[in-house]
Amino acid sequence: MNGIFIDDKRLGIRLPHLDKPWEDYSPNEQEAILLEWETIRGLIPDRIAELEREINKKQDELGQEADFARSCQLNADIAELASIVNDLWIWYRIAPSVSSRHGKKRVEKP
């Protein structure tokens, strides 16, 4: 799926970047894209867990920090990491479907 999925450095995963409307992809192309997306989606919980460990570490540092400027930086870092986690959960919940002649066919996980 070269060109369809592009690395997002902030989120740490590859995201879909479609160059045409979804309906313009053939059903086979749509299924290939969805298969790749499901593989990427499967990595999201591990990425979130990694970020949550980082948040916990920074919160521990914050609890011990006496320097105000450093405390502010740690708070900003924690807020950014939490924002990334939130964005990853949004991407994780996206459940695309394959178009068919009769509308959309949902592609469900077993």
Side-chain angles (χ1 to χ4, degrees), residues 50-69:
E50 174 186 323
L51 291 168
E52 287 174 341
R53 284 189 297 274
E54 234 180 292
I55 289 170
N56 290 336
K57 180 181 173 213
K58 288 188 180 287
Q59 286 175 328
D60 289 344
E61 288 178 42
L62 183 59
Q64 303 298 318
E65 188 57 60
D67 180 63
F68 180 73

Side-chain angles (χ1 to χ4, degrees), residues 6-99:
I6 299 173
D7 286 333
D8 184 295
K9 292 185 187 327
R10 179 176 173 269
L11 299 182
I13 62 169
R14 294 181 306 135
L15 294 177
H17 290 275
L18 304 179
D19 58 359
K20 57 186 175 183
W22 181 247
E23 295 75 26
D24 290 348
Y25 289 94
S26 72
N28 287 342
E29 290 173 316
Q30 289 179 7
E31 288 194 28
I33 292 167
L34 291 177
L35 181 62
E36 183 68 19
W37 176 240
E38 283 303 312
T39 301
I40 294 167
R41 273 185 76 215
L43 301 173
I44 292 175
D46 291 337
R47 176 71 177 130
I48 289 171
E50 174 186 323
L51 291 168
E52 287 174 341
R53 284 189 297 274
E54 234 180 292
I55 289 170
N56 290 336
K57 180 181 173 213
K58 288 188 180 287
Q59 286 175 328
D60 289 344
E61 288 178 42
L62 183 59
Q64 303 298 318
E65 188 57 60
D67 180 63
F68 180 73
R70 177 72 180 134
S71 293
C72 290
Q73 182 59 53
L74 286 167
N75 269 318
D77 293 348
I78 291 166
E80 176 59 19
L81 291 168
S83 174
I84 294 168
V85 167
N86 185 58
D87 289 349
L88 286 168
W89 277 123
I90 291 168
W91 278 104
Y92 184 74
R93 289 184 181 102
I94 291 178
S97 58
V98 175
S99 298

